[in-house]
């Protein structure tokens, strides 16, 4: 794991340690940290809501070390019966739309209503851009210091599939640790919304007024996935434009076929910075969850999502196993050479390689 991320990870614990411990006791904590506790200890502490152990277990999930992954898998299995009890909310929008500010206001609203909120991120670009969302946690200063909130930056990873899987596993651990609302933040570019949409109960799209869709980089598909659109920055001189945008988006949303759940996606306006309209967003999500639960859609959707993740995980593992195979990597190069000289076709080469792979495994 990147140094930057590890330090961000312990940022929250680090603040209180600095306040309460001397240099020598900090050293003891550091040396204890290097030893990985037993699975039993992990599970007991996570179920007791110990955030430090939750953080460390997520670090194991994110590790590329096989032993860490094995341990993480057993912890996950043992935590699973205690998971599944939260509401999972996906929040997307292009950079600058106000996601961090909104999550801070929304998260505080929830914690003031005695909820426990975990904020996770899916940002496949973070390993390239060194953490573009949630990496800089000072953007959610108040929520970071709220004892009922847990904030975790995006795991670094080479593929979106890998990053998304780690996030999904982290959701399970957060739920087992007693977090009843899980917010997954993602950037409104690329394929990450589709992944996030497939792991949440409610998908919220943040927009601002006055910018065309091309400018906001939002694809039609994302609007289709949204259970609600919130026009943020509805304050000062922007209020009028925000209301115009609200009417336009409501009209546009009516053109889409109704959702399977029967829910008609809503458009609301809010000002994250002035904390206006945040309560209404929270009420709307509660309304949706009640409706979805009443109709049995809530659990049906989660079951479908689980099936999707089973298939995705198999695909990912098969892909990795194939391309990491030493014999295949040599044979693949040979087939590429044959392909270049016109001595084989892509289909024959693939067939031959898959046959050799199957014979080996
Ligand atoms: P993100 O990149 O989507 O996470 O956006 P940020 O939360 O970092 O916000 C980007 C900028 O917009 C910051 O300068 C915020 O202060 C500002 N901002 C966020 N929400 C609002 C809002 O409701 N009203 C106004 N006027 N500015 C906002």
């Amino acid at each position: 794991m990147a140094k930057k991320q590890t330090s961000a990870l312990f940022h929250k614990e680090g603040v209180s340690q600095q306040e309460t411990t001397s240099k020598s006791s900090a050293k003891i904590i550091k040396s204890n940290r290097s030893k990985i506790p037993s699975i039993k200890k992990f599970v007991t502490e996570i179920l007791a809501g110990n955030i430090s152990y939750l953080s460390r277990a997520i670090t194991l999930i994110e590790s590329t070390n096989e032993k860490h992954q094995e341990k993480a898998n057993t912890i996950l299995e043992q935590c699973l019966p205690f998971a599944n009890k939260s509401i999972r909310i996906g929040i997307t929008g292009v950079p600058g739309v106000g996601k961090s500010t909104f999550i801070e206001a929304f998260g505080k609203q929830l914690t003031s209503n005695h909820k426990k909120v975990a904020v996770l991120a899916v940002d496949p670009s973070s390993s390239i851009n060194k953490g573009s969302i949630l990496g800089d946690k000072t953007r959610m200063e108040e929520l970071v210091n709220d004892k009922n909130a847990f904030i975790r930056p995006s795991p670094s990873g080479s593929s979106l599939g890998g990053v998304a899987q780690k996030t999904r596993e982290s959701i399970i651990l957060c739920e087992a640790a007693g977090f009843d609302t899980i917010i997954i933040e993602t950037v409104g570019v690329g394929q990450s919304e589709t992944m996030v949409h497939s792991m949440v109960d409610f998908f919220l799209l943040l927009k601002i007024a006055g910018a065309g869709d091309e400018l906001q980089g939002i694809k039609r598909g994302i609007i289709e996935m949204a259970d609600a659109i919130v026009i943020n920055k509805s304050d000062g001189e922007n209020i009028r434009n925000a209301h115009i945008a609200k009417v336009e988006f409501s009209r546009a949303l009516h053109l889409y076929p109704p959702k399977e759940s029967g829910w008609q996606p809503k458009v609301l306006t809010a000002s994250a910075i002035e904390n206006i309209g945040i309560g209404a967003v929270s009420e709307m999500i509660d309304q949706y969850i009640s409706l979805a639960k009443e109709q049995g859609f809530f659990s049906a959707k989660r079951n479908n999502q689980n099936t999707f993740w089973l298939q995705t995980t198999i695909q990912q593992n098969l892909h990795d196993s194939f391309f990491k195979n030493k014999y295949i990597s040599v044979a693949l190069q040979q087939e590429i050479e044959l392909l270049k000289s016109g001595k084989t076709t892509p289909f024959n080469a693939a067939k031959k390689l898959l046959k050799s792979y199957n014979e080996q495994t």
Side-chain angles (χ1 to χ4, degrees), residues 2 5 123-132 154-159 163:
Q5 202 180 342
D123 180 8
S125 64
S126 67
S127 47
I128 304 159
N129 303 342
K130 300 264 181 285
S132 54
S154 184
S156 55
S158 50
S159 75
V163 169

Side-chain angles (χ1 to χ4, degrees), residues 11 28 54 88-90 116 127 130 144 165 182 195 270 273 284 290 298 300 326-327 339:
H11 168 78
I28 296 168
L54 172 65
R88 305 167 184 168
I89 303 166
K116 284 187 77 184
S127 47
K130 300 264 181 285
V144 165
Q165 188 186 330
I182 317 281
M195 281 290 179
I273 220 158
M284 171 192 57
S290 307
F298 187 86
K326 282 193 184 115
Y327 172 81
L339 201 57

Side-chain angles (χ1 to χ4, degrees), residues 60-342:
L60 288 181
I61 286 179
E62 292 171 356
S63 168
T64 47
N65 178 313
E66 258 178 48
K67 280 200 178 125
H68 290 174
Q69 283 178 356
E70 259 173 47
K71 200 160 192 168
N73 282 341
T74 317
I75 297 169
L76 269 170
E77 257 171 42
Q78 297 189 10
C79 283
L80 198 58
F82 305 93
N84 223 17
K85 290 184 189 112
S86 75
I87 303 301
R88 305 167 184 168
I89 303 166
I91 296 185
T92 191
V94 295
V97 76
K99 292 182 295 300
S100 301
T101 317
F102 181 85
I103 292 171
E104 165 112 319
F106 182 57
K108 271 165 32 197
Q109 152 98 24
L110 293 168
T111 57
S112 68
N113 283 328
H114 313 289
K115 300 265 187 208
K116 284 187 77 184
V117 181
V119 184
L120 308 172
V122 171
D123 180 8
S125 64
S126 67
S127 47
I128 304 159
N129 303 342
K130 300 264 181 285
S132 54
I133 54 172
L134 288 182
D136 175 11
K137 294 206 293 177
T138 52
R139 295 200 297 164
M140 292 186 201
E141 221 163 73
E142 286 188 50
L143 207 56
V144 165
N145 292 315
D146 189 325
K147 67 176 177 20
N148 285 320
F150 172 71
I151 300 179
R152 179 81 183 193
S154 184
S156 55
S158 50
S159 75
L160 172 60
V163 169
Q165 188 186 330
K166 288 168 193 172
T167 306
R168 201 166 190 276
E169 291 173 347
S170 304
I171 293 178
I172 293 170
L173 295 187
C174 289
E175 290 179 347
F179 287 92
D180 44 42
T181 309
I182 317 281
I183 297 173
I184 320 279
E185 178 186 2
T186 190
V187 276
V189 285
Q191 289 297 306
S192 55
E193 295 84 6
T194 316
M195 281 290 179
V196 170
H197 182 250
S198 68
M199 60 175 95
V200 297
D201 306 309
F202 192 91
F203 195 63
L204 187 79
L205 170 61
L206 280 191
K207 307 246 328 167
I208 43 171
D213 269 351
E214 328 72 67
L215 284 178
Q216 298 199 37
I218 297 279
K219 289 177 262 51
R220 190 177 178 270
I222 299 171
I223 296 190
E224 217 163 342
M225 281 192 283
D227 295 303
I229 296 176
V230 171
I231 319 282
N232 190 35
K233 306 196 186 182
S234 175
D235 43 49
E237 289 175 359
N238 254 333
I239 295 181
R240 207 178 103 82
N241 282 342
H243 280 89
I244 296 172
K246 180 183 167 176
V247 173
E248 280 172 4
F249 276 114
S250 305
R251 203 176 290 144
L253 281 175
H254 272 95
L255 300 176
Y256 292 107
K259 301 231 172 213
E260 226 180 300
S261 56
W263 172 258
Q264 177 61 47
K266 308 258 182 297
V267 187
L268 299 179
T269 55
S271 168
I273 220 158
E274 291 187 5
N275 208 352
I276 298 169
I278 308 298
V281 174
S282 184
E283 279 166 27
M284 171 192 57
I285 296 175
D286 288 347
Q287 238 179 44
Y288 170 85
I289 301 294
S290 307
L291 178 90
K293 282 190 173 168
E294 257 167 45
Q295 297 181 343
F297 181 74
F298 187 86
S299 54
K301 187 173 176 182
R302 284 210 175 174
N303 286 337
N304 286 342
Q305 289 177 337
N306 280 335
T307 308
F308 169 80
W309 281 96
L310 168 70
Q311 287 164 345
T312 308
T313 309
I314 291 172
Q315 278 167 11
Q316 183 82 38
N317 288 355
L318 279 175
H319 175 278
D320 291 351
S321 158
F322 182 84
F323 286 102
K324 278 182 193 156
N325 184 298
K326 282 193 184 115
Y327 172 81
I328 293 295
S329 59
V330 175
L332 180 63
Q333 279 314 313
Q334 287 167 352
E335 291 300 322
I336 290 172
E337 289 310 315
L338 290 174
L339 201 57
K340 278 184 195 160
S341 54

